[in-house]
Amino acid sequence: MRGAYAIGIDVGGTRIAAGLVERKGRIVRESKILTPKTAGPFGIVDAIVGMVEEITAGVHAAEIAGVGIGLPAQVDFTRQSVEYSTNLPLGGVDVRGLVMSRLKYPVTIDNDGHTAALGESRFGVAKGVKDFVMVTLGTGVGGGVFIGGRIMRGSRGFGGEVGHIVIDVDGPPCPCGGRGHLESYAARPAIIRDARRAAATYQGSSITRLAGGDEDAITAEVVIDGANSGDEAAVEIMGHVGDMLGEALVGIVNILNPQAIVVGGGIGESCPLVSERAAARVAAEALAGRRDVKVLMAELGNDAGVAGAAALAFEDHDSREGLH
Ligand SMILES: [Zn+2]
């Protein structure tokens, strides 16, 4: 069938995943590689092109609706350009043009928070939910805002950066250059910072024990595992992450009155305490009439980025063909 598949690519700071995706969201072929960080922007483009060729082998070009790419970057959706990227050397690089010049398919790029939100909206926990906000907690904090069943992009496409809501004007620095943003409290580096501080403060801290006695081995995953099994210090650290997320959500819920909040990303999906504590804050502090908002954990895991990027390609294809 014409346009039966789309290719979804999720470019991360650590890993790139590509999938051949059916219209209902099933990933029928997949390829994953480590992100070639030292090869510059062309190394990343080469990797993307190679993965697309691999997963489309034997598939007729007419069956491919297009390629969607989610990037860990500030993407000007209107111009389809990358403005800025903290984790990868993609700022100012015409990723779309470079990929498209080497493949026979149309290419659409977006910010990875948007593609993850699209994935959960079309195929995951937010299916059928018209108004929701996605927050992804991982190496950074990203997100996407859905209003009336459509992603809110703002005037140029940069909308939905929930990770950079100010929690405390005097708070710790944020990688974006700001201070006290949600990302300064709820991303992987913040968890490691808080855990090392706890380990240094309390002699014989359980965090150090959880890390096998080695302070340098403290990772966010060690803290999350500890919290999930009830370790007191780890519960305090991850509970604080949930509280800070909750504070940001109170403002979001007051402004947008969504039906649901979807908490995803590697951290959001592996630590139920985070969304529980955030939900409690929202229930206690949001303005009257808005407190019935559901705080849900994302369910597509790592597939959200690939499936969502494919959904982006399908949408683009269908609007070009006048299908909706
Ligand atoms: Zn920030």
Side-chain angles (χ1 to χ4, degrees):
M1 194 192 110
R2 281 186 69 83
Y5 302 103
I7 296 147
I9 315 247
D10 184 27
V11 179
T14 313
R15 188 184 69 96
I16 303 177
L20 182 69
V21 183
E22 292 176 342
R23 282 194 176 257
K24 286 190 172 168
R26 198 166 72 94
I27 300 171
V28 291
R29 279 187 206 162
E30 199 165 18
S31 172
K32 287 175 189 170
I33 59 161
L34 289 176
T35 306
K37 282 192 201 174
T38 50
F42 291 102
I44 295 167
V45 169
D46 283 346
I48 292 172
V49 170
M51 292 170 98
V52 172
E53 285 169 346
E54 180 193 336
I55 59 172
T56 56
V59 182
H60 196 279
E63 288 183 275
I64 310 277
V67 179
I69 306 176
L71 298 167
Q74 300 292 311
V75 173
D76 182 328
F77 190 76
T78 315
R79 291 171 51 207
Q80 284 288 290
S81 61
V82 180
E83 279 307 287
Y84 187 73
S85 176
T86 322
N87 289 320
L88 293 175
L90 295 175
V93 176
D94 181 14
V95 176
R96 175 179 178 261
L98 289 170
V99 173
M100 208 151 68
S101 70
R102 294 178 47 193
L103 294 169
K104 45 190 175 290
Y105 316 115
V107 176
T108 313
I109 62 168
D110 206 344
N111 162 270
D112 58 359
H114 287 176
T115 49
L118 257 174
E120 292 292 341
S121 154
R122 298 293 180 261
F123 315 118
V125 71
K127 203 171 167 180
V129 181
K130 284 191 157 26
D131 298 283
F132 76 95
V133 177
M134 171 108 190
V135 186
T136 57
L137 309 178
T139 306
V141 177
V145 174
F146 264 74
I147 296 176
R150 297 194 67 81
I151 199 150
M152 183 212 74
R153 291 206 166 85
S155 61
R156 288 174 64 193
F158 301 128
E161 283 290 354
V162 295
H164 303 278
I165 287 174
V166 180
I167 303 283
D168 179 356
V169 288
D170 298 317
C174 182
C176 75
R179 204 163 256 289
H181 295 177
L182 177 59
E183 186 167 309
S184 329
Y185 297 99
R188 200 165 266 122
I191 294 168
I192 295 167
R193 174 198 69 211
D194 290 352
R196 291 208 172 126
R197 190 181 297 155
T201 311
Y202 305 106
Q203 281 276 307
S205 152
S206 65
I207 294 283
T208 320
R209 181 171 48 74
L210 291 168
D214 177 7
E215 254 184 56
D216 293 333
I218 295 173
T219 62
E221 282 63 32
V222 164
V223 183
I224 289 167
D225 287 348
N228 288 346
S229 54
D231 176 82
E232 211 178 329
V235 164
E236 192 178 319
I237 292 163
M238 295 314 295
H240 186 251
V241 169
D243 288 342
M244 295 301 103
L245 172 61
E247 288 305 317
L249 293 182
V250 168
I252 291 172
V253 165
N254 285 344
I255 294 167
L256 299 174
N257 186 23
Q259 285 165 271
I261 303 288
V262 179
V263 182
I267 294 164
E269 277 173 37
S270 56
C271 190
L273 177 66
V274 171
S275 39
E276 283 162 24
R277 288 278 285 263
R281 288 255 167 170
V282 172
E285 295 173 30
L287 289 171
R290 296 159 178 80
R291 295 176 180 180
D292 59 344
V293 61
K294 295 188 189 73
V295 179
L296 308 168
M297 283 170 82
E299 61 180 35
L300 295 181
N302 290 331
D303 291 344
V306 167
L312 183 71
F314 280 129
E315 278 187 2
D316 203 35
H317 169 267
D318 294 353
S319 65
R320 271 195 319 273
E321 304 270 312
L323 295 176
H324 66 210

